[in-house]
Amino acid sequence: MNQSDKIIGIDLGTTNSVLAVIQDGLPVLLPVNGERLLPSVVGIAPSGEVVVGTPARNQWVVAPERTVRSIKRKMGKAETVGMAGQTYTPQEISAFILKDMREAAQAVLGGDVRRAVITVPAYFNETQRQATLEAGEIAGLMVERIINEPTASALAYGYGLAGDQHLKVLVYDLGGGTFDVSIIELHSGVVDVLATAGDNLLGGDDFDERLAAMLADEFAEEHDIDLRQHHQAWARLLRAAEEAKIELSSAPFAEIKLEYILTRDRKGYPLHIQREVERSEFEELIADLLGRTITLVRKALEDAKLRPNDIERVLLVGGSTRIPAVWELIVAQMGQEPHIEIDPDAAVALGAAVQAGIIAGEEIDAILVDVTPYSLGIETAQVGYGGRLYADLFTPLVRRNTTVPVQKSQMFTTIVPGQEQIRINVYQGENPTASQNVLLGDFMIEGLKPNRADGLSEVTVNFQLDVNGILDVTVVERQSGKRVSEQLKASRQRLSPDDIARSQAKLAAAYTEMEADETFDPGVAALLDRARKTLEQPDLSAGLADDIAGAVANIRHAVAEEDDAQVEAYCDELIDLLMEVEG
């Protein structure tokens, strides 16, 4: 195909816009102005030059009157915005962004690019879609198709391309400026939107604002100055909050350091901000906002007349889905792990490129991504009812199907006051009982000193996994900064039948120990004994053995948590499995 006949795919986002195209049968992202994600910000520089992307975003800090951002929220409205003394329609501002994207595509492809597929939220009405078409035309593009963002996400994952698939998919899209959830059905290559719900004033920007507002309130308490009334200071605080949010998605805490946030206070002294923010503190700040997304998920399910277990795939889209609390909420609501094999920032643009390729008649292969096939984590323990210690718990840091390379950190504390050493056991697998997974390695951390008032020590465990399956584990004592590192090789092979048999034997031994455990209700103990005897059967299939082992581990964990409802639910699950074996 002649490069000038190429059709590009564009995700025209509220916060960032992304460009993609089919090359050698695969959708790939194309950088715009050297940026993989182009900030959807437009400005007029003092020289009169139009600036788009990061330069415009930087200018907004010092010259908001010459800069426009989040224009997507105004698409389809009969409004204008001011920029450097001129008025512009939302279509015209969007056209500045699209023009830069078109020129970037031409620079890479080496020919004139005039055709595009552009995505919009599923809830966009016809007026908003028409405005998007007009923005493309102003930028010199023939918009071949406007497609829904959830449909594009499904195409990125390859769903809807195979004619024999019939799937119900829930797409949870939490971007910088908007949230929407869509339930789509794919059948014989056709993609239908069954239901959609959303909030175009809810996204990562709102999370940034919550964190910035907390810091501004603390600053006002100390200095009696409201930073919201100082545009440049407030803009810097918002930027710092965004950077902290991003860091907290992979680390347990982040430090915000803003020197000279105000050049002088009422007495002429410069003022600064230095504050450490913990992930748990940030997640508590935005808990109600994340709760609103789950309310909308339930609404979409209700509108589609479906239950969570009717959904066969859950896709996470949008950069804000990297927040660990989002994962936990989705798993709790939907009862399944979402798919994150494709970069959530890129999925919509890649899907738009797939649709563009289909229109252009290109041969398209499935997107190949390198993911970790198993979860990676460490063995942990927790103190339960009556001070009883529950050990051998598996806490994953990197979840299975996560795109590699990846880096994740989490903070842990010692168990008893004054504890001077801990052993780090690194496992790979999916079982909530650590020892039922594959041990990748272990090492000792010694010489710990209490760094909390209760005599416990806090340490940060960092996992860094590369494309070759090499796992670098680093443990940092929070107060002293002392570091201990270990390099391990993550196995990419499935467990052999012998491995499974050994695990089953170990599991059976664990159940024998549990028989004497007086903390179990007699009915639960009898059920676990029945499970133990079932696992001893030599002809038991590996799949059923794994399911039974998982159910038993879940019961143990629920008992430790004193969650009677969960204990009952997991016992019912185990009974069903045992009945399947017993015929």
Side-chain angles (χ1 to χ4, degrees):
M1 170 180 288
N2 188 305
Q3 294 287 46
S4 62
D5 294 330
K6 285 277 189 182
I7 305 177
I8 57 175
I10 294 175
D11 171 11
L12 186 61
T14 309
T15 307
N16 294 297
S17 294
V18 190
L19 170 66
V21 70
I22 300 295
Q23 288 189 321
D24 299 323
L26 290 173
V28 295
L29 297 188
L30 298 182
V32 183
N33 301 338
E35 300 178 278
R36 187 171 156 276
L37 305 180
L38 179 74
S40 300
V41 188
V42 178
I44 304 291
S47 63
E49 176 190 5
V50 176
V51 289
V52 176
T54 298
R57 187 179 179 218
N58 293 339
Q59 178 178 281
W60 181 78
V61 174
V62 294
E65 74 284 355
R66 309 182 69 88
T67 318
V68 176
R69 61 177 193 161
S70 300
I71 196 62
K72 185 173 178 176
R73 289 178 169 176
K74 295 184 181 295
M75 291 295 278
K77 295 182 179 179
E79 297 180 19
T80 58
V81 293
M83 186 169 65
Q86 298 291 320
T87 59
Y88 296 88
T89 65
Q91 293 95 314
E92 289 166 340
I93 296 295
S94 296
F96 283 123
I97 299 167
L98 293 172
K99 180 175 179 291
D100 265 33
M101 301 183 91
R102 177 190 171 202
E103 290 174 352
Q106 290 177 162
V108 173
L109 299 175
D112 192 19
V113 172
R114 291 196 169 275
R115 305 165 72 194
V117 168
I118 303 178
T119 62
V120 296
Y123 61 79
F124 255 29
N125 59 34
E126 287 308 310
T127 304
Q128 292 168 306
R129 291 166 194 264
Q130 181 61 34
T132 305
L133 277 169
E134 292 163 356
E137 291 171 5
I138 294 168
L141 288 167
M142 179 187 299
V143 182
E144 295 285 345
R145 185 102 27 112
I146 294 284
I147 67 168
N148 291 326
E149 289 163 4
T151 301
S153 302
L155 288 172
Y157 277 87
Y159 306 144
L161 295 179
D164 58 348
Q165 281 191 316
H166 191 174
L167 296 173
K168 291 184 178 69
V169 179
L170 184 143
V171 182
Y172 178 103
D173 187 346
L174 184 58
T178 59
F179 168 74
D180 58 86
V181 55
S182 299
I183 297 172
I184 58 180
E185 186 171 30
L186 304 116
H187 185 48
S188 301
V190 176
V191 183
D192 286 327
V193 178
L194 300 182
T196 186
D199 186 336
N200 62 4
L201 296 174
L202 172 60
D205 294 348
D206 301 285
F207 305 156
D208 304 341
E209 191 158 335
R210 281 284 175 92
L211 181 53
M214 180 190 79
L215 297 171
D217 288 343
E218 291 176 353
F219 191 89
E221 183 76 21
E222 183 177 356
H223 301 290
D224 195 27
I225 297 173
D226 186 357
L227 292 177
R228 299 173 188 82
Q229 305 306 314
H230 300 262
H231 174 82
Q232 189 169 341
W234 178 241
R236 286 182 64 198
L237 191 53
L238 283 172
R239 178 74 67 88
E242 180 189 15
E243 290 169 355
K245 172 192 69 179
I246 292 168
E247 187 175 352
L248 290 169
S249 291
S250 58
F253 52 86
E255 185 173 15
I256 292 177
K257 190 173 182 180
L258 291 168
E259 295 184 344
Y260 300 98
I261 187 69
L262 288 179
T263 52
R264 56 178 57 85
D265 64 6
R266 294 183 179 90
K267 295 181 180 178
Y269 296 110
L271 297 175
H272 319 290
I273 290 179
Q274 185 164 359
R275 170 73 148 80
E276 185 178 83
V277 180
E278 291 192 9
R279 180 190 290 167
S280 58
E281 182 181 22
F282 172 64
E283 290 181 342
E284 187 176 336
L285 266 181
I286 64 171
D288 63 310
L289 298 177
L290 294 182
R292 277 163 56 187
T293 72
I294 297 302
T295 299
L296 290 165
V297 167
R298 294 182 184 130
K299 180 179 184 300
L301 286 167
E302 184 180 333
D303 290 347
K305 297 180 172 56
L306 295 173
R307 295 168 299 174
N309 59 8
D310 294 323
I311 301 297
E312 289 139 311
R313 300 281 192 282
V314 176
L315 308 184
L316 294 188
V317 180
S320 293
T321 59
R322 290 188 176 90
I323 296 171
V326 169
W327 175 285
E328 293 162 8
L329 284 169
I330 286 293
V331 171
Q333 171 62 34
M334 300 304 297
Q336 62 176 286
E337 292 188 348
H339 285 250
I340 51 169
E341 296 93 328
I342 295 176
D343 181 345
D345 286 316
V348 171
L350 292 173
V354 169
Q355 180 65 67
I358 292 171
I359 294 170
E362 297 194 59
E363 291 291 327
I364 302 171
D365 297 325
I367 299 174
L368 298 175
V369 291
D370 201 358
V371 299
T372 175
Y374 301 106
S375 297
L376 298 164
I378 65 171
E379 178 186 352
T380 58
Q382 67 181 45
V383 178
Y385 179 72
R388 176 180 171 80
L389 184 66
Y390 292 89
D392 202 16
L393 305 176
F394 180 58
T395 300
L397 274 77
V398 176
R399 299 184 185 275
R400 68 188 176 101
N401 288 333
T402 298
T403 309
V404 291
V406 63
Q407 179 265 326
K408 293 287 182 181
S409 299
Q410 195 164 328
M411 190 166 61
F412 298 91
T413 63
T414 50
I415 294 293
V416 295
Q419 183 176 336
E420 295 182 353
Q421 61 182 27
I422 53 174
R423 178 175 292 280
I424 303 292
N425 293 326
V426 181
Y427 286 95
Q428 171 180 279
E430 308 309 320
N431 199 303
T433 301
S435 60
Q436 303 312 307
N437 297 310
V438 176
L439 179 65
L440 297 181
D442 61 272
F443 56 100
M444 188 72 76
I445 310 296
E446 298 178 308
L448 293 176
K449 294 181 181 178
N451 52 29
R452 296 193 345 178
D454 56 10
L456 301 180
S457 297
E458 292 178 339
V459 297
T460 299
V461 178
N462 180 75
F463 276 22
Q464 191 153 354
L465 182 68
D466 70 13
V467 293
N468 299 310
I470 303 299
L471 177 66
D472 283 306
V473 181
T474 304
V475 181
V476 182
E477 186 181 15
R478 190 171 180 189
Q479 186 175 43
S480 68
K482 177 183 176 182
R483 303 168 70 89
V484 178
S485 297
E486 193 81 5
Q487 190 172 87
L488 308 168
K489 175 68 176 178
S491 169
R492 298 183 72 84
Q493 303 299 316
R494 293 190 177 276
L495 296 179
S496 69
D498 288 341
D499 291 330
I500 292 172
R502 280 193 293 271
S503 291
Q504 289 172 354
K506 188 187 291 183
L507 206 65
Y511 293 142
T512 303
E513 294 170 8
M514 285 197 301
E515 283 184 280
D517 194 334
E518 296 178 358
T519 64
F520 284 104
D521 174 88
V524 175
L527 182 61
L528 295 179
D529 182 51
R530 186 172 149 199
R532 175 183 62 79
K533 291 174 181 175
T534 300
L535 285 166
E536 290 172 351
Q537 296 178 14
D539 58 347
L540 182 65
S541 74
L544 270 174
D546 190 50
D547 289 343
I548 292 170
V552 170
N554 286 336
I555 291 171
R556 291 182 66 190
H557 187 71
V559 169
E561 293 283 333
E562 300 179 69
D563 190 334
D564 294 339
Q566 284 284 59
V567 170
E568 184 177 349
Y570 289 135
C571 283
D572 289 343
E573 178 186 333
L574 180 56
I575 289 169
D576 290 342
L577 290 167
L578 295 176
M579 289 181 67
E580 185 177 342
V581 175
E582 295 161 1

